[in-house]
Amino acid sequence: MLQLTRLNIGSHSSDHAVNHAEWLVEENYSFGTGSQNTYIVSGDAVSERQARLSVKPEQVVLHNVAGGQSVYLNGKPLKQRATLKSGDHFSVGEARFKIEDPKLTRTPAKTKSKAKTLKRNWQLKGCNTAIANKIIPLKGRLSIGRSQECDICLNVMHLSRQHARITVTADRVLLEDLNSANGTFVNGQRIKQQQLQHGDEVAFDTLRFFVEGPEQAAEVRPQAVDNKTQLRPSITQEEIDALKANKRKKQVKKNNPDLEPKNPPIDPELKQQIEQLQYEQDQIQKQNNSQRILIGLLLACIAIGIWLFFGF
């Protein structure tokens, strides 16, 4: 997942802090002088809605919506649109921004030769369309919310400013809800505080992530030396016992066909009630048909009478 950092304010005040990275979790971000924009910028030739970022699972595209010479990418004017990558710098009017991928910019940790643990730290993996398969690393004590003061700033309107907190220690990962308006959920259940496991689904209101943690490699235990060669079965003993029990059950059914379950007989009283109901429905249908025929005949007689009266 890419992050967007505003490098300066320019001549216009802004709600977005300088040099504070924000995760790109929304599908669109707008730039311009209008107050409805995600980022309010200023400049002589900047329009009310000058530029837009469109965020997709595999790419982020910068659009010069209003045209002109107000949008620059890596020092060159942007005429229409361009796909951004980590390390790109762009400006809209006087405001400058930077795109980064934390996975590419952070210093790789030193490799430790431990046979028991595979070195993958705790992380959140995005589930929603705009953040699909994007990774947020977890380490230490992290606050999550819409505020610029949060360690993980998710600029989404339905999140609280201080929505939740994740604490990572040596033996567990604890998720706490900070009295958010729309709630924090683990596997579909709203929580106040819960320890997370590898594979859990975490949701901050409707923004969903999978929890991924360190995987334990199979521990190799020394076995007693035996002169005889032992063959390892291809299936476990429990599976063998289950197959034998299933085979015995089939044999019993084959030898005793009378044991097969049969449909229970219908209660005679209930059967009589059903037949009576069907008979009454048939009678009503017949009466309706007779009434339709009589009405048709009556209308025909009236029509003939009128014709005879006025015809002669």
Side-chain angles (χ1 to χ4, degrees):
M1 182 191 300
L2 295 177
Q3 290 182 335
L4 177 65
T5 303
R6 184 163 187 166
L7 302 177
N8 73 329
I9 292 297
S11 61
H12 199 287
S13 61
S14 175
D15 294 333
H16 299 270
V18 177
N19 293 324
H20 186 90
E22 295 185 20
W23 295 98
L24 295 176
V25 296
E26 294 283 10
E27 294 185 357
N28 290 284
Y29 295 82
S30 58
F31 305 79
T33 58
S35 59
Q36 75 279 6
N37 290 290
T38 313
Y39 290 86
I40 302 174
V41 299
S42 59
D44 294 337
V46 178
S47 65
E48 184 177 0
R49 189 171 184 270
Q50 180 65 50
R52 175 173 62 90
L53 276 183
S54 61
V55 182
K56 298 181 180 180
E58 299 300 329
Q59 65 177 356
V60 176
V61 180
L62 175 62
H63 303 261
N64 187 358
V65 178
Q69 299 288 321
S70 297
V71 182
Y72 283 76
L73 175 61
N74 297 324
K76 297 181 180 180
L78 179 65
K79 294 182 179 180
Q80 293 182 341
R81 60 180 177 271
T83 301
L84 303 182
K85 60 183 182 300
S86 180
D88 283 343
H89 289 70
F90 69 91
S91 62
V92 181
E94 299 176 358
R96 295 184 291 110
F97 301 87
K98 177 176 63 176
I99 293 288
E100 286 184 313
D101 187 343
K103 294 186 296 183
L104 301 178
T105 56
R106 64 171 179 258
T107 304
K110 295 182 179 180
T111 305
K112 296 183 180 180
S113 57
K114 288 187 178 181
K116 288 182 59 178
T117 306
L118 299 179
K119 289 303 294 179
R120 183 177 72 184
N121 295 325
W122 288 97
Q123 59 190 23
L124 296 180
K125 185 175 182 180
C127 299
N128 298 73
T129 302
I131 57 172
N133 299 322
K134 304 303 181 182
I135 303 300
I136 298 179
L138 302 178
K139 186 177 181 181
R141 188 184 181 96
L142 301 171
S143 58
I144 301 171
R146 187 165 44 88
S147 172
Q148 301 292 326
E149 299 175 356
C150 291
D151 300 301
I152 302 176
C153 178
L154 302 175
N155 190 20
V156 181
M157 293 305 298
H158 52 249
L159 293 187
S160 298
R161 293 182 60 82
Q162 296 284 341
H163 197 99
R165 179 169 53 237
I166 293 181
T167 305
V168 182
T169 60
D171 58 346
R172 68 172 185 169
V173 178
L174 184 65
L175 174 62
E176 303 172 79
D177 182 80
L178 301 179
N179 296 321
S180 63
N182 294 320
T184 301
F185 301 81
V186 176
N187 299 324
Q189 299 295 322
R190 187 165 184 169
I191 60 99
K192 296 297 292 182
Q193 184 182 90
Q194 183 165 325
Q195 183 173 339
L196 300 179
Q197 304 291 336
H198 175 78
D200 284 345
E201 182 185 272
V202 173
F204 307 106
D205 189 32
T206 59
L207 201 61
R208 298 180 296 111
F209 298 87
F210 281 124
V211 179
E212 294 184 344
E215 296 177 346
Q216 297 296 321
E219 185 177 355
V220 180
R221 298 181 180 179
Q223 297 182 354
V225 178
D226 194 344
N227 293 330
K228 296 181 180 180
T229 301
Q230 296 183 353
L231 299 177
R232 181 178 59 83
S234 58
I235 59 176
T236 64
Q237 186 60 42
E238 290 80 2
E239 292 172 327
I240 294 175
D241 294 340
L243 289 174
K244 289 181 177 179
N246 189 39
K247 185 176 180 180
R248 287 195 297 268
K249 187 183 296 184
K250 290 182 178 179
Q251 188 65 32
V252 170
K253 289 182 178 180
K254 182 178 179 181
N255 297 334
N256 300 276
D258 295 337
L259 295 179
E260 288 292 331
K262 299 180 180 179
N263 294 329
I266 300 177
D267 184 15
E269 184 177 352
L270 177 60
K271 183 178 180 180
Q272 184 178 2
Q273 292 177 357
I274 294 174
E275 292 176 350
Q276 179 65 26
L277 180 60
Q278 291 177 346
Y279 173 77
E280 292 177 355
Q281 291 178 346
D282 292 340
Q283 293 299 317
I284 293 173
Q285 185 66 30
K286 289 179 181 180
Q287 291 178 3
N288 291 337
N289 292 337
S290 299
Q291 290 176 357
R292 292 191 187 97
I293 293 172
L294 290 174
I295 292 173
L297 292 174
L298 180 60
L299 292 175
C301 291
I302 292 173
I304 293 171
I306 293 173
W307 178 78
L308 292 174
F309 180 79
F310 291 99
F312 293 99

